[in-house]
Amino acid sequence: MTSSEKHSLFLVSSSQDKTIRIWKMTSDVQQRKDNIGMASYIEGPLFVAGNTSYQLSLESLLVGHEDWVYSVEWQPPTLLLGGEAHQPMSILSASMDKMMMIWRPEKNTGLWINSVTVGELSHSALGFYGGHWEPDGKSILAHGYGGFFHMWRDVGLDSENWQPQIVPSGHFAPVSDLTWSRSGEYLLTVSHDQTARIFAPWRSHVNPGDVICWREIARPQIHGHDINCVAFVQGTGNHRFVCGADEKVCRVFEATLSFLRTLQEATLLKPDNEDFDDVQVLGANMSALGLSQKPIYTHGKESPSSASNDGPDSMETIPDAVPTVFTEPPVEDQLAWNTLWPESHKLYGHGNELFSICCDHAGKLVASSCKAQSAPVAEIWLWEVGTWKAVGRLQSHNLTVTQMEFSSDNAFLLSVSRDRHLSVFSIKKTEEGAQHHLVTKHEAHKRIIWACSWNPFGYEFATGSRDKTVKIWCVQDASSVKLLATLPQFRESVTALAWTGRDRARNAGIIAVGMDNGLIELWSVSGGRAASDSSSDLSPFSVACMLRFDPLLCHVSTVHRLRWQKPDSADEKAAIELSSCGSDHCVRVFAVRDT
């Protein structure tokens, strides 16, 4: 940076010693004599570049951060009338202490002081890796280890007033699973970044017809293990989900009252009275070293907090969360702290890390599986929603069960595995728990089976495998399965499938196929027999490729999961949304319309 002083340059540097140094370089100085005295040390060293000699001296030492200072940057110059550039004497620093500071020289004394301090307070143990000015100097942006952005803007008129701003957010590790809420108004995703996040289209209160932007509106879980699978509990009552991570425990979470009201603000939809009935939990807290998120009740007594907000947080000064009903999309600090959901139950039983989980369509049973190398460990556990007791242990596979799904009428549970077999179980919910038996086990593919999906209108289902094929099967007489069709071989391994219905009369639907290279295709299917059809004859089953997504719209790595939004039962021809997640850390939502 060039200062207003003639022939002077300023250089700023930062270090792991937590300090910032400003160096002054003065040009066109007279060369000293060869003798070195005390004056030369005070004035600084001389060096020559070309025909110009420079004298280097330490202008100022800035001390204020409490951890490594990773980034320093001069405020960009501004253009004055006549095209002349003015360089503000202002420095932005970003540190691992989760703080950014703006340094300026004091007008009267010229001493450099910290005039602005902004930062975050979150569960993350790491702070900022860098800071950046907006060209006009009115906004500053920070980025950190968690892949997050923080932005502050000076909104003051007579004096500086730096306020946090809305910025894009998302996962910073492979996204392992996702699921739509039971009514399809928002999307829940889980990732190996050890978080669960909720995304929803945020509609403007002022102009509801404006462009709808998808925003992260809550972060219900911040965990200490990579999260592998998630399922929403269907049926009535409060919003609940069950997730499994690289631990042997399934965890159940329930929505908070503050989230339900924030969701109402985001979607501009009238609330379902059932959503608000008996919800006494306002938010959740999590200790710095704990994995469980404890509830904050609506009528609970508030304990006085001894934490101070004057400096960076530590494990001794982390304050309680403040559950808030947001009328605009929350910023990173709020998401990481004030949008947690409380954990209501832990489900113990599995011997290894959780791998797959699903819930029936009535919200009565949850099925879970874990990583396995033997048949006893590969069994599927059934849990009763409400009591959360284990009501069944289904044995069939010899290796990890990679995916499970209940049929549309909850009569069957389909599972596929690394052992290349598919299994179909008959499931019947009873007052005592659940009755179950193995209908059939079949070696379906030549390689690992990664994905499966039921036809919403019948007993047909699809399986996808590493052998690059998708096969469509049908349950016959509740005792066996029959192969109906095999799609043409794909170029890559099939890693995700999702089947949605479009025309019940023709038993027609769409199968979305996700592959190991990140590409997605849509295939139309029709024929067979619907579940409600009592005839024993199968109509000819037809399949055809509808659409191959533009690679620029797809993932650049493995597609882990595909999910169709729950279609509107009143209009089966209406546009529906397809969500996808993958190893490229991305979550994508596509609108699919019939043409």
Side-chain angles (χ1 to χ4, degrees):
M1 187 213 71
T2 305
S3 74
S4 56
E5 301 179 26
K6 189 176 181 180
H7 307 305
S8 292
L9 297 173
F10 285 90
L11 174 70
V12 62
S13 64
S14 60
S15 170
Q16 294 180 358
D17 64 6
K18 310 175 188 178
T19 65
I20 302 167
R21 284 173 167 81
I22 303 174
W23 308 90
K24 181 178 180 181
M25 292 188 293
T26 306
S27 62
D28 297 333
V29 296
Q30 295 181 354
Q31 283 193 315
R32 302 194 193 106
K33 297 178 182 179
D34 291 339
N35 61 324
I36 300 176
M38 184 62 68
S40 64
Y41 286 101
I42 298 174
E43 295 172 359
L46 280 175
F47 65 92
V48 178
N51 297 325
T52 307
S53 57
Y54 295 89
Q55 179 176 309
L56 181 64
S57 61
L58 180 63
E59 172 72 9
S60 185
L61 176 66
L62 310 183
V63 180
H65 287 291
E66 298 187 3
D67 209 331
W68 297 356
V69 184
Y70 261 108
S71 167
V72 284
E73 185 178 284
W74 291 99
Q75 182 176 339
T78 56
L79 291 177
L80 304 177
L81 294 177
E84 183 180 354
H86 168 67
Q87 174 63 63
M89 296 291 284
S90 183
I91 296 171
L92 174 67
S93 62
S95 168
M96 290 295 283
D97 64 6
K98 306 179 187 179
M99 297 288 182
M100 281 208 304
M101 297 181 179
I102 298 177
W103 304 83
R104 299 188 181 101
E106 206 271 330
K107 292 182 180 179
N108 297 326
T109 63
L111 295 176
W112 284 80
I113 61 171
N114 168 25
S115 60
V116 175
T117 300
V118 295
E120 71 146 349
L121 185 66
S122 72
H123 300 282
S124 171
L126 298 177
F128 297 144
Y129 279 174
H132 187 61
W133 289 94
E134 191 180 20
D136 64 1
K138 292 294 185 181
S139 298
I140 52 177
L141 180 74
H143 66 90
Y145 167 79
F148 55 77
F149 290 113
H150 283 275
M151 187 170 73
W152 290 268
R153 185 167 182 82
D154 181 11
V155 297
L157 298 177
D158 299 330
S159 60
E160 286 185 299
N161 181 14
W162 293 84
Q163 294 296 324
Q165 303 295 304
I166 300 169
V167 292
S169 63
H171 292 286
F172 62 95
V175 186
S176 50
D177 201 358
L178 55 76
T179 179
W180 290 94
S181 64
R182 60 192 183 197
S183 300
E185 64 265 57
Y186 62 89
L187 192 62
L188 173 66
T189 63
V190 295
S191 166
H192 291 170
D193 67 7
Q194 305 182 352
T195 65
R197 306 181 188 227
I198 290 177
F199 298 89
W202 194 285
R203 292 170 169 82
S204 170
H205 286 255
V206 180
N207 298 306
D210 286 354
V211 176
I212 299 172
C213 295
W214 281 76
R215 303 288 189 185
E216 184 181 351
I217 65 171
R219 202 166 295 171
Q221 185 185 13
I222 298 177
H223 204 30
H225 300 283
D226 295 356
I227 308 176
N228 298 322
C229 51
V230 67
F232 252 106
V233 176
Q234 304 299 316
T236 59
N238 192 14
H239 299 223
R240 291 174 291 179
F241 71 86
V242 188
C243 71
D246 277 347
E247 56 176 346
K248 304 174 184 179
V249 183
C250 299
R251 297 175 185 266
V252 185
F253 295 85
E254 297 200 14
T256 62
L257 188 60
S258 59
F259 168 79
L260 296 175
R261 298 198 183 280
T262 297
L263 181 64
Q264 182 184 350
E265 293 285 339
T267 59
L268 301 183
L269 298 176
K270 292 183 178 179
D272 184 349
N273 290 333
E274 291 180 346
D275 291 348
F276 293 89
D277 288 347
D278 301 326
V279 179
Q280 299 296 321
V281 177
L282 187 61
N285 267 322
M286 187 170 72
S287 61
L289 299 178
L291 295 179
S292 297
Q293 296 168 192
K294 305 300 182 182
I296 302 173
Y297 292 99
T298 53
H299 302 295
K301 294 182 179 180
E302 296 184 2
S303 57
S305 176
S306 59
S308 171
N309 293 327
D310 295 335
D313 66 300
S314 65
M315 284 187 292
E316 291 77 23
T317 61
I318 294 179
D320 288 340
V322 182
T324 307
V325 178
F326 297 103
T327 56
E328 60 181 15
V331 297
E332 177 68 27
D333 222 12
Q334 297 166 329
L335 286 168
W337 201 253
N338 298 328
T339 62
L340 295 172
W341 289 17
E343 179 185 308
S344 59
H345 294 86
K346 294 184 180 73
L347 311 182
Y348 296 95
H350 287 288
N352 286 328
E353 298 90 341
L354 272 295
F355 195 86
S356 179
I357 202 163
C358 71
C359 179
D360 71 357
H361 302 279
K364 300 294 180 62
L365 293 172
V366 168
S368 62
S369 69
C370 69
K371 296 178 182 179
Q373 296 291 333
S374 62
V377 183
E379 61 187 4
I380 299 169
W381 285 61
L382 291 179
W383 310 89
E384 184 179 43
V385 174
T387 64
W388 297 110
K389 295 179 179 179
V391 293
R393 296 166 67 173
L394 284 58
Q395 295 185 351
S396 174
H397 297 286
N398 298 318
L399 297 175
T400 304
V401 175
T402 55
Q403 191 175 356
M404 302 171 291
E405 189 172 306
F406 284 90
S407 61
S408 58
D409 61 356
N410 301 319
F412 298 105
L413 173 65
L414 169 66
S415 63
V416 294
S417 169
R418 287 179 176 269
D419 62 11
R420 309 174 186 179
H421 286 73
L422 66 84
S423 297
V424 178
F425 300 89
S426 174
I427 305 293
K428 184 178 180 181
K429 181 72 176 68
T430 63
E431 292 184 358
E432 293 78 18
Q435 296 178 353
H436 56 83
H437 71 271
L438 179 64
V439 173
T440 184
K441 178 181 179 181
H442 186 76
E443 186 172 0
H445 291 269
K446 297 178 181 178
R447 304 288 298 276
I448 293 172
I449 308 175
W450 284 123
C452 63
S453 185
W454 283 98
N455 174 12
F457 296 151
Y459 289 148
E460 296 85 13
F461 60 87
T463 57
S465 167
R466 183 180 283 177
D467 64 10
K468 306 179 183 179
T469 63
V470 172
K471 296 182 179 181
I472 299 176
W473 312 78
C474 179
V475 178
Q476 285 189 318
D477 303 323
S479 60
S480 63
V481 295
K482 177 183 178 181
L483 179 63
L484 296 181
T486 301
L487 274 60
Q489 190 167 28
F490 295 87
R491 295 183 179 180
E492 292 286 339
S493 302
V494 176
T495 55
L497 291 174
W499 192 331
T500 186
R502 298 302 283 162
D503 188 346
R504 184 178 292 273
R506 297 188 303 111
N507 196 27
I510 303 172
I511 297 179
V513 181
M515 288 169 276
D516 199 33
N517 59 359
L519 298 183
I520 300 172
E521 296 183 6
L522 299 183
W523 288 72
S524 64
V525 293
S526 62
R529 181 181 70 245
S532 59
D533 192 348
S534 59
S535 65
S536 59
D537 296 331
L538 295 176
S539 61
F541 200 86
S542 63
V543 296
C545 183
M546 292 177 56
L547 178 65
R548 291 183 172 90
F549 285 18
D550 187 327
L552 296 177
L553 298 177
C554 297
H555 298 271
V556 296
S557 188
T558 306
V559 180
H560 283 157
R561 191 73 75 228
L562 293 167
R563 299 281 190 190
W564 291 100
Q565 185 186 36
K566 186 176 181 180
D568 185 356
S569 59
D571 186 5
E572 293 181 350
K573 299 295 184 181
I576 53 176
E577 291 179 337
L578 172 67
S579 59
S580 67
C581 65
S583 294
D584 58 358
H585 309 181
C586 288
V587 177
R588 298 177 182 270
V589 180
F590 305 93
V592 179
R593 296 178 175 86
D594 288 336
T595 56

